[in-house]
Amino acid sequence: MAVSQETVPPAWWRRTPAVVGVIVLILGTELVIGWSSLAEAVHQLRTPAWNWVAGAVVAEIASMGTYARMQQALLRGAGTSVPVRRHVALAYAAHSLSATLPGGPVFSTAFNFRTLRRYGASSAVASWCIALSGVLSAGALVVIGAVFGILTRSTGSWRTLLCYMGGALAVAFLVRLVAQHPEWLIGPARRLLSGVNKVRRRPGDSGQARLVNFVDQLRSVRVRPADFTLAVVLAVANWLLDALCLWMCCIAVGATGIHPAQLVIAYCAGMAAASVPIVPGGLGVVDGALVLGLVAGGLTSASAVAAVVLYRLISFGFIIGTGWLVWLIMRARAGTPRGVPA
């Protein structure tokens, strides 16, 4: 008769209960320690100043509008004119894809590219517009953080802050210079393409003709200085209006013990944390960074938590929900672009 042997669970299965237990213990400890602050934050959220909440919603809508107009200015400067309402719809839909889907930035970029192509932009112009809008947006956040860091003297080193500002401006200038001389990219791009072909076991010159054709299209992209300057201003306004939304949320819950400059520094720290795509929308990561920044700026823990929760309800819940509705409308009118999940 065969002797039955006890099945031994795999190692990962034996470790899972211990890991879950540690996580529950940590969260439980934090909940007990911070219960008074959390209860006070909930009380503040029950009785907000609704006029300031409405102002925060308007500021967030205006922030999304400035980002859409930044892309419109870049696209118009490259010779493609699209109504602003289409850019606004694209901004909402692409933002929702980026913030909520796993690997969202990839889907968002593909959706952005295919929609701009459908609007009449060439593949080179669409790629250039998407890349430059991202660079300008990131550079604007660095400049804002540097300027308000100087105002609050938070680092004690003006030279360091000025270097950050100079670096952001240099990157924007370099991108514009490369856009004016795309032939500089042919050599490095060919070497990169040859390496990729080698890994994929394809002929070394595979795709070279398409690469040269793409660069030829880039040579036709010439953005007027006025449109480029307007795009830079709109990129800065996009972040400042979003920070204004956070400030209004603080006032709405009665958290008035922080200077606007310190609030912007806390905001920049939170947005920097959002650039690390650990979880969709930066849930938990962005919130924690914002709360810590606001507390460091002078708010109580309860007020900071209440303000951040309200801000995230508007900037994440309201905007993302609106973006998905816009995406459904765009999908119904034009069909789902390939590369975006139905």
Side-chain angles (χ1 to χ4, degrees):
M1 188 175 81
V3 179
S4 62
Q5 297 181 353
E6 184 180 356
T7 303
V8 180
W12 64 268
W13 180 259
R14 294 197 301 270
R15 288 195 298 266
T16 298
V19 173
V20 172
V22 170
I23 293 175
V24 170
L25 179 62
I26 293 174
L27 293 178
T29 303
E30 292 179 347
L31 186 62
V32 171
I33 295 175
W35 179 255
S36 59
S37 297
L38 183 61
E40 186 178 346
V42 171
H43 175 72
Q44 288 178 280
L45 283 170
R46 287 178 178 175
T47 56
W50 290 106
N51 55 333
W52 286 103
V53 174
V57 172
V58 171
E60 192 63 29
I61 292 174
S63 174
M64 293 295 296
T66 54
Y67 185 86
R69 284 170 171 80
M70 177 188 68
Q71 278 205 333
Q72 183 193 35
L74 293 174
L75 205 62
R76 182 179 60 237
T80 303
S81 181
V82 178
V84 67
R85 60 182 176 81
R86 290 191 171 187
H87 279 285
V88 171
L90 176 58
Y92 274 88
H95 178 65
S96 296
L97 290 173
S98 177
T100 55
L101 292 179
V106 177
F107 290 114
S108 175
T109 301
F111 179 77
N112 236 323
F113 176 80
R114 296 184 185 280
T115 304
L116 290 178
R117 292 282 288 127
R118 192 165 61 243
Y119 288 167
S122 66
S123 58
V125 169
S127 301
W128 180 89
C129 178
I130 294 170
L132 188 56
S133 61
V135 170
L136 288 181
S137 184
L141 181 63
V142 172
V143 170
I144 291 170
V147 169
F148 280 88
I150 290 175
L151 293 177
T152 58
R153 299 186 181 184
S154 60
T155 66
S157 174
W158 285 54
R159 292 181 180 179
T160 302
L161 295 170
L162 290 175
C163 285
Y164 286 150
M165 292 179 62
L169 294 175
V171 169
F173 175 78
L174 180 62
V175 170
R176 188 169 187 272
L177 191 63
V178 171
Q180 291 177 334
H181 302 278
E183 63 274 9
W184 296 351
L185 300 174
I186 292 181
R190 278 180 171 171
R191 288 191 289 271
L192 177 62
L193 185 58
S194 298
V196 172
N197 287 334
K198 186 176 181 180
V199 172
R200 300 178 66 184
R201 297 180 180 179
R202 291 187 174 184
D205 60 349
S206 178
Q208 297 283 354
R210 294 178 62 186
L211 172 64
V212 174
N213 181 54
F214 183 81
V215 172
D216 287 338
Q217 292 182 45
L218 278 179
R219 288 177 180 173
S220 65
V221 179
R222 292 290 184 271
V223 176
R224 294 185 295 270
D227 290 311
F228 184 80
T229 303
L230 177 61
V232 172
V233 172
L234 290 171
V236 174
N238 168 242
W239 292 114
L240 290 180
L241 285 168
D242 195 27
L244 178 63
C245 174
L246 176 60
W247 179 67
M248 288 184 171
C249 288
C250 289
I251 298 179
V253 298
T256 57
I258 185 171
H259 191 275
Q262 294 172 323
L263 181 140
V264 173
I265 293 297
Y267 169 81
C268 290
M271 295 306 103
S275 64
V276 183
I278 299 176
V279 292
L283 291 175
V285 179
V286 175
D287 310 272
L290 285 173
V291 169
L292 290 176
L294 293 176
V295 171
L299 294 185
T300 63
S301 298
S303 296
V305 170
V308 170
V309 169
L310 181 58
Y311 165 73
R312 294 288 275 172
L313 285 174
I314 295 172
S315 65
F316 187 80
F318 172 70
I319 296 298
I320 296 301
T322 303
W324 276 111
L325 288 176
V326 171
W327 181 82
L328 288 173
I329 293 172
M330 294 175 69
R331 177 174 181 259
R333 288 182 176 179
T336 305
R338 288 178 299 172
V340 178

